[in-house]
Amino acid sequence: MATSLKYSLALLSAFLCVFISCKENTKKVVKTTPIVFTKEGTVTIYKGEKDSVLTKLDIEFAETEYETQTGLMYRESIENNQGMFFILPNVAMHSFYMKNTQFALDIIYIDENLKIASFQENAKPLDETSLPSRVPVKYVLEVNAGLAEKWLLEVGDTVEFQKN
C-alpha cells in the first residue's frame, strides 16, 4: 500500500511539473511614455573670456543623485538647442558613460570657475566605457554629438547658466 501511495504521489508530481512547464508563457508588454524635454533654464557658452557668444541653449538641470545618475538615459533624442546641465556635489575628477543613452553626445566638463576644462566628443550610444573629465570639475553639459566641433569649442571657453 505504501509503495502504491508513493507511486501515485510521484505520478501526480510528474503530471504537475509537466502541466506547469507547458503552461502558456505570457509576457507583459510594458508601454513607456517618452521622456520629454522640460526647459528649466539656459546656458550660454562664450569664446574665451566672454569675447563672443558661441551658443545659447535651453537646458534641464541634473542636481539630485538620481538625476545625475540618470541624465539623458532612456530618451530618444534632444534638439540641437537643448542640453542637460549637471551640477555635481563636489569639485573632483568625474566620469560619465553612455549606459542606456540612445543617441551620441558631446560631454563638456566645466570647472568651478565656469571654464570649459575638457570634453569628450561623439560619445557612443549605449557604451559603458568610462569617459573621464581628466581634471577636477564641478559641472557637466551634455549636448548632441558634433556640436562641440560645430561651435569650435576650446578648453578655457566660458559658460554661464541661469535657472528659470
Side-chain angles (χ1 to χ4, degrees):
M1 182 81 166
T3 305
S4 176
L5 182 59
K6 286 182 186 176
Y7 179 74
S8 295
L9 288 174
L11 190 59
L12 179 61
S13 294
F15 174 76
L16 287 174
C17 286
V18 169
F19 177 76
I20 291 170
S21 67
C22 291
K23 184 179 174 182
E24 191 174 312
N25 189 5
T26 58
K27 292 184 180 181
K28 286 185 176 181
V29 176
V30 178
K31 292 185 178 184
T32 58
T33 304
I35 302 170
V36 295
F37 182 85
T38 303
K39 180 182 175 183
E40 298 175 329
T42 58
V43 161
T44 305
I45 303 176
Y46 298 92
K47 191 68 175 161
E49 291 285 333
K50 298 185 180 181
D51 297 337
S52 60
V53 174
L54 293 175
T55 192
K56 189 171 185 175
L57 304 169
D58 295 334
I59 55 167
E60 284 186 21
F61 285 95
E63 298 178 85
T64 68
E65 185 176 343
Y66 174 77
E67 291 169 336
T68 301
Q69 292 296 320
T70 307
L72 292 170
M73 290 180 177
Y74 311 111
R75 298 183 192 221
E76 295 176 6
S77 66
I78 57 173
E79 300 296 322
N80 281 343
N81 67 333
Q82 298 173 335
M84 179 160 284
F85 194 79
F86 296 78
I87 301 175
L88 303 172
N90 56 359
V91 176
M93 300 287 286
H94 290 279
S95 188
F96 279 53
Y97 60 91
M98 298 290 289
K99 180 180 180 179
N100 298 320
T101 306
Q102 300 175 26
F103 54 100
L105 295 174
D106 287 345
I107 303 171
I108 303 163
Y109 295 101
I110 304 162
D111 69 19
E112 70 275 15
N113 298 314
L114 294 169
K115 302 286 185 205
I116 294 176
S118 68
F119 44 92
Q120 296 277 352
E121 294 182 84
N122 297 303
K124 297 175 187 166
L126 308 174
D127 188 351
E128 294 187 40
T129 303
S130 178
L131 302 166
S133 62
R134 298 187 191 113
V135 295
V137 296
K138 174 71 176 161
Y139 309 98
V140 176
L141 175 63
E142 290 182 340
V143 296
N144 282 326
L147 292 177
E149 182 178 8
K150 178 181 176 182
W151 301 328
L152 303 175
L153 210 56
E154 294 180 311
V155 169
D157 289 341
T158 303
V159 176
E160 253 181 13
F161 69 92
Q162 183 174 3
K163 293 184 178 184
N164 286 349

